[in-house]
Amino acid sequence: MQLWTDLEQVPPGFGPSVVTIGNFDGVHRGHQAVLDRILRLARSDAASAVAVTFEPHPSAVHRPESAPELITGLEDRLALMERTGLDATLLVNYTLDFAAQTPEEFVSRYLVDGLGARTVVVGHDVRFGKQNAGTLATMVELGGQHGFEVVAIDDVGDFAQPEGDGHQRWSSTAVRALLAEGDVDQAADVLGRPHLVRGTVVHGDARGREMGFPTANLGDITGLVPADGVYAGWLRRGTAATCASLAGPEGDRAAVSGTGMGQEEILPAAISVGTNPTFDGVERRVEAYVLDRTDLDLYDQTVALEFVAHLRPTLRFDGMEPLIAQMNDDVARARKILRA
């Protein structure tokens, strides 16, 4: 996948292309369906499949006090988009100046002159241009003026919400809500893969090592951290692609996967999110114990954690012995779930 971070990087005369526009936070199954649609349209029309996406998220520019926490970091978002088979992604630096363009200016400059759009794929609720004045009707009108076709797609996906509260479409909002509840299993169903966060392993208090469960503590985390609790999951390290596979049963994974960018080691883990209340902790931490491994030196390495199943909430224990007993039980349950 070609990645352009400025319109000037697009080769002169690029096109024809099939283009879609979106934030693609999480690159969930709804996003994947849209990207698959433009791929099929592009292949049938000898065109390039291109996505236009934004960094930072527009909400962080217009409403920073209420902007949603992002499901995936930029690195993982782009890697996931690449895995769909896109030919190119244009990553637009979203600023107030960019947002001040009229719908006509955006379409003319980016879609027509820049990307040579032959087809533009958007949702029925698309909004673009200054003050979100552009709508689907606007895009259709501009398509007629500039000679591109507009394909409007319906919302895709439908999953049962927790507590029997009806059904909801696949969306980034739905994933955030599920992760806030610690429902990583249902979030994985919407995402099409286990949810992932990434960070650099930093030094902690070494209490886990003292108890026989040395943990990798993450700093500089990107990705939305789920609710406090203990989870079964995977720790990924190495030089392979930065994101999880888009599909496949977790228990069937090989220990090492090659991607052409190097090799990545995938290790079963019990993951803790919380403040360590047994030790009166106040700092929220994310740490992972790789099952049955006390020999790993992960300090200063960038690793990813995938959340497969919620084991229990964060609890306060009356001393070390009951905590160690519970940790042994957590590890046993994680091993069973991960088939490790």
Side-chain angles (χ1 to χ4, degrees):
M1 180 184 79
Q2 297 182 76
L3 174 63
W4 303 309
T5 57
D6 190 282
L7 193 61
E8 300 302 318
Q9 296 174 358
V10 181
F14 179 83
S17 66
V18 179
V19 183
T20 191
I21 309 161
N23 294 307
F24 302 107
D25 184 28
V27 196
H28 54 67
R29 292 170 68 186
H31 295 143
Q32 294 167 37
V34 171
L35 298 176
D36 180 68
R37 180 71 178 276
I38 73 165
L39 280 165
R40 288 187 284 112
L41 288 169
R43 299 300 177 258
S44 67
D45 199 25
S48 297
V50 182
V52 178
T53 191
F54 309 101
E55 179 67 20
H57 192 288
S59 293
V61 175
H62 294 291
R63 301 179 301 279
E65 71 286 349
S66 60
E69 190 171 357
L70 297 183
I71 298 166
T72 50
L74 177 60
E75 179 184 13
D76 287 304
R77 176 170 32 131
L78 294 173
L80 286 162
M81 292 173 70
E82 180 175 19
R83 288 195 174 203
T84 67
L86 283 170
D87 296 305
T89 291
L90 174 60
L91 179 65
V92 175
N93 178 26
Y94 194 93
T95 64
L96 291 176
D97 285 342
F98 172 83
Q101 296 177 102
T102 67
E104 161 64 29
E105 288 171 337
F106 168 72
V107 167
S108 177
R109 182 182 179 198
Y110 281 83
L111 305 187
V112 178
D113 296 338
L115 297 174
R118 179 180 290 170
T119 305
V120 176
V121 179
V122 292
H124 287 274
D125 59 352
V126 65
R127 293 291 186 274
F128 61 99
K130 186 176 181 179
Q131 297 180 339
N132 280 336
T135 64
L136 176 59
T138 311
M139 188 68 80
V140 171
E141 180 183 354
L142 291 171
Q145 295 175 14
H146 292 283
F148 61 81
E149 179 186 3
V150 177
V151 175
I153 57 174
D154 296 318
D155 292 339
V156 293
D158 184 49
F159 70 97
Q161 296 189 76
E163 310 299 333
D165 293 332
H167 289 252
Q168 187 172 347
R169 70 183 178 94
W170 293 331
S171 69
S172 300
T173 299
V175 173
R176 293 187 191 101
L178 290 166
L179 293 176
E181 296 295 323
D183 191 349
V184 295
D185 183 67
Q186 183 72 80
D189 183 60
V190 180
L191 289 168
R193 65 186 186 278
H195 175 58
L196 171 152
V197 302
R198 184 174 304 281
T200 302
V201 179
V202 298
H203 290 273
D205 299 322
R207 289 196 185 98
R209 183 171 298 279
E210 293 173 5
M211 294 184 288
F213 300 94
T215 59
N217 293 266
L218 264 62
D220 299 323
I221 296 172
T222 60
L224 179 55
V225 177
D228 289 3
V230 178
Y231 300 83
W234 302 94
L235 182 146
R236 307 170 68 98
R237 67 165 180 167
T239 57
T242 61
C243 63
S245 59
L246 289 175
E250 294 78 21
D252 293 338
R253 296 186 182 186
V256 177
S257 64
T259 68
M261 295 175 63
Q263 286 189 325
E264 183 177 44
E265 191 173 14
I266 305 172
L267 303 167
I271 305 168
S272 173
V273 177
T275 59
N276 295 324
T278 300
F279 302 102
D280 297 320
V282 294
E283 180 185 358
R284 192 171 189 237
R285 296 182 177 182
V286 179
E287 50 190 319
Y289 164 65
V290 175
L291 305 190
D292 306 316
R293 295 289 298 270
T294 59
D295 60 324
L296 294 173
D297 183 2
L298 299 174
Y299 290 122
D300 300 322
Q301 293 186 33
T302 297
V303 302
L305 298 180
E306 290 181 354
F307 294 82
V308 173
H310 182 264
L311 299 178
R312 62 172 175 86
T314 299
L315 302 172
R316 182 185 181 93
F317 294 90
D318 187 18
M320 296 274 281
E321 289 187 11
L323 173 58
I324 291 173
Q326 180 62 64
M327 292 172 71
N328 277 303
D329 183 66
D330 295 338
V331 168
R333 292 181 61 199
R335 184 179 291 110
K336 183 176 180 180
I337 290 169
L338 301 172
R339 291 181 278 173

